[in-house]
């Protein structure tokens, strides 16, 4: 699991429902609601869009005591592609990524290298079944389940239901059979295990019924990942977070990728500008 989380962080790199105000937050009593009613509200309030064009993203990578500031542009054609271009200071493009429902592609213009695969790559090499739909949901503040990451399973999955602070909380605590890669990881750590205990939490904002925080953690390994959505506000009549924070942690290290959105357009024409030069070397 450790390697899979770290790989997803790198992929993301390559690649709050109020404005912030200096006021004292008053804790309010959450209305009682059933899990079924909550999920109906969540699906009813999902972001309705055909395309998203994020013209300006301030991207910050934090690792230990180091922090790197980058810029990014993102274009999404719903259920078709996610295109991201990342630039370093002075406008030098350092990475370009293209996700489609059946392929993962990225190029490093500076290193003159490229990578192409399908989503089975994650399963074969890292024992993690992330799909295009999961990445699309994470990047658009739509409801998703780290364990299933498909809308069909999400809608039928049973969660435990509670309240946490000012949020509604859906969570699961399950034993998961270890795959070949994870068994190898435990063997290196001298643990003879067949199962891992996985805790997943989904915090739902009670005002806009959008995910505020989604997290998953291997309770034995102390390895986990979370996606946090902050300052959900109105962009051209559609609610979208001003900030998305991806956090990956292990018992030894922690990484964070922060995306700050300031210029967003919806339902405009977008296209994936992605061309691999014949001079680039393929990465495996």
């Amino acid at each position: 699991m450790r390697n899979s989380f770290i790989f997803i962080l790198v992929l993301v790199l390559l690649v709050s429902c109020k404005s912030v105000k200096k006021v004292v937050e008053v804790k309010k009593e959450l209305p009682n609601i059933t899990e079924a009613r909550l999920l109906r509200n969540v699906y009813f309030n999902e972001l309705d869009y055909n395309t998203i064009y994020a013209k300006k993203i301030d991207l910050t990578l934090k690792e230990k005591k180091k922090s790197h500031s980058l810029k990014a542009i993102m274009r999404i054609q719903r259920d078709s592609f996610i295109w991201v271009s990342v630039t370093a200071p002075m406008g030098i493009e350092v990475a370009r990524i293209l996700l489609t429902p059946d392929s993962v592609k990225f190029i490093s213009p500076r290193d003159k290298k490229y990578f192409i695969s399908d989503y089975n790559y994650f399963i074969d090499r890292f024992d993690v079944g992330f799909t295009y739909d999961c990445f699309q949901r994470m990047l658009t503040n739509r409801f998703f389940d780290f364990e299933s990451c498909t809308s069909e399973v999400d809608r039928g999955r049973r969660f435990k239901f509670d309240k946490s602070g000012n949020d509604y909380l859906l969570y699961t605590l399950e034993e998961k059979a270890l795959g070949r890669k994870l068994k190898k990881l435990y063997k290196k750590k001298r643990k003879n295990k067949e199962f891992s205990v996985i805790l997943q939490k989904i915090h739902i904002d009670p005002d806009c019924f959008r995910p505020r925080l989604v997290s998953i953690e291997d309770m034995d390994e102390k390895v986990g990942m979370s996606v946090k959505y902050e300052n959900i506000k109105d962009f051209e009549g559609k609610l979208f977070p001003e900030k998305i924070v991806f956090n990956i942690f292990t018992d030894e290290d922690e990484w964070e990728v922060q995306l700050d959105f300031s210029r967003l357009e919806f339902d405009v024409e977008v296209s994936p500008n992605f061309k691999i030069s014949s001079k680039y070397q393929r990465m495996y």
Side-chain angles (χ1 to χ4, degrees):
M1 179 172 283
R2 181 194 306 271
N3 288 338
S4 63
F5 282 133
I6 293 174
F7 185 86
I8 294 167
L9 173 67
V10 175
L11 181 62
V12 171
L13 172 61
L14 296 177
V15 239
S16 140
C17 287
K18 303 286 183 181
S19 299
V20 176
K21 298 180 181 179
K22 294 183 178 179
V23 298
V24 177
E25 183 178 358
V26 178
K27 185 175 180 179
K28 59 183 179 181
E29 186 69 24
L30 290 179
N32 291 325
I33 190 173
T34 64
E35 177 188 342
R37 176 70 177 276
L38 174 64
L39 289 175
R40 283 197 298 269
N41 287 338
V42 168
Y43 295 129
F44 181 80
N45 287 279
E46 279 190 342
L47 178 65
D48 183 18
Y49 73 98
N50 291 315
T51 67
I52 298 175
Y53 186 10
K55 292 185 174 181
K56 183 181 179 182
I57 303 174
D58 292 321
L59 189 156
T60 305
L61 171 65
K62 298 179 181 179
E63 179 183 359
K64 296 181 180 179
K65 295 183 179 180
K66 296 181 179 180
S67 180
H68 305 279
S69 297
L70 303 166
K71 301 291 184 181
I73 299 172
M74 182 176 70
R75 302 169 187 164
I76 299 178
Q77 175 83 51
R78 185 168 184 166
D79 300 329
S80 179
F81 68 80
I82 299 171
W83 176 94
V84 179
S85 173
V86 180
T87 56
M90 306 299 293
I92 301 173
E93 187 176 38
V94 295
R96 187 176 300 186
I97 186 168
L98 177 63
L99 304 181
T100 65
D102 58 3
S103 68
V104 177
K105 302 177 181 178
F106 112 86
I107 57 177
S108 175
R110 185 170 56 182
D111 298 326
K112 293 183 170 53
K113 294 182 178 181
Y114 73 95
F115 172 85
I116 298 178
S117 182
D118 59 22
Y119 291 90
N120 286 328
Y121 176 82
F122 301 135
I123 298 176
D124 296 339
R125 188 164 181 179
F126 302 102
D127 270 348
V128 60
F130 281 93
T131 63
Y132 174 85
D133 182 67
C134 188
F135 287 115
Q136 183 174 247
R137 287 172 175 271
M138 280 195 286
L139 289 169
T140 57
N141 191 212
R142 296 173 65 205
F143 184 88
F144 71 94
D145 174 353
F146 266 124
E147 282 291 276
S148 62
C149 276
T150 62
S151 58
E152 291 78 15
V153 178
D154 281 346
R155 294 177 183 273
R157 187 177 181 85
R158 296 294 299 177
F159 297 91
K160 294 182 179 180
F161 182 44
D162 205 345
K163 299 177 183 179
S164 177
N166 290 330
D167 297 338
Y168 292 113
L169 175 65
L170 298 168
Y171 67 98
T172 59
L173 183 63
E174 301 173 320
E175 277 194 343
K176 183 178 180 181
L178 296 177
R180 178 173 54 88
K181 298 294 182 180
L182 296 183
K183 284 183 179 179
K184 186 176 180 181
L185 173 63
Y186 276 98
K187 187 176 181 180
K188 286 183 177 180
K189 302 188 75 172
R190 299 182 180 178
K191 293 180 180 180
N192 184 20
K193 297 196 62 171
E194 294 294 329
F195 296 89
S196 181
V197 180
I198 302 298
L199 174 64
Q200 179 178 210
K201 295 180 180 180
I202 305 172
H203 291 253
I204 303 297
D205 187 285
D207 294 322
C208 57
F209 293 101
R210 293 285 189 84
R212 196 202 298 269
L213 174 67
V214 184
S215 65
I216 188 169
E217 180 179 356
D218 182 327
M219 302 300 289
D220 297 316
E221 248 322 82
K222 300 302 179 184
V223 176
M225 178 180 181
S226 68
V227 184
K228 186 178 182 180
Y229 304 94
E230 299 182 11
N231 307 336
I232 299 175
K233 59 175 287 187
D234 190 302
F235 285 94
E236 298 188 344
K238 297 183 184 293
L239 294 180
F240 199 88
E242 283 188 308
K243 181 184 298 185
I244 302 178
V245 181
F246 298 86
N247 184 269
I248 295 173
F249 62 88
T250 71
D251 55 354
E252 299 174 351
D253 298 299
E254 184 173 358
W255 299 264
E256 180 181 290
V257 174
Q258 178 177 305
L259 306 178
D260 290 281
F261 298 86
S262 57
R263 296 178 61 189
L264 280 172
E265 293 184 6
F266 295 89
D267 302 328
V268 297
E269 186 175 351
V270 295
S271 61
N273 180 14
F274 198 92
K275 184 178 180 180
I276 301 175
S277 171
S278 60
K279 298 180 180 179
Y280 287 7
Q281 180 180 0
R282 184 164 185 168
M283 301 168 57
Y284 294 94

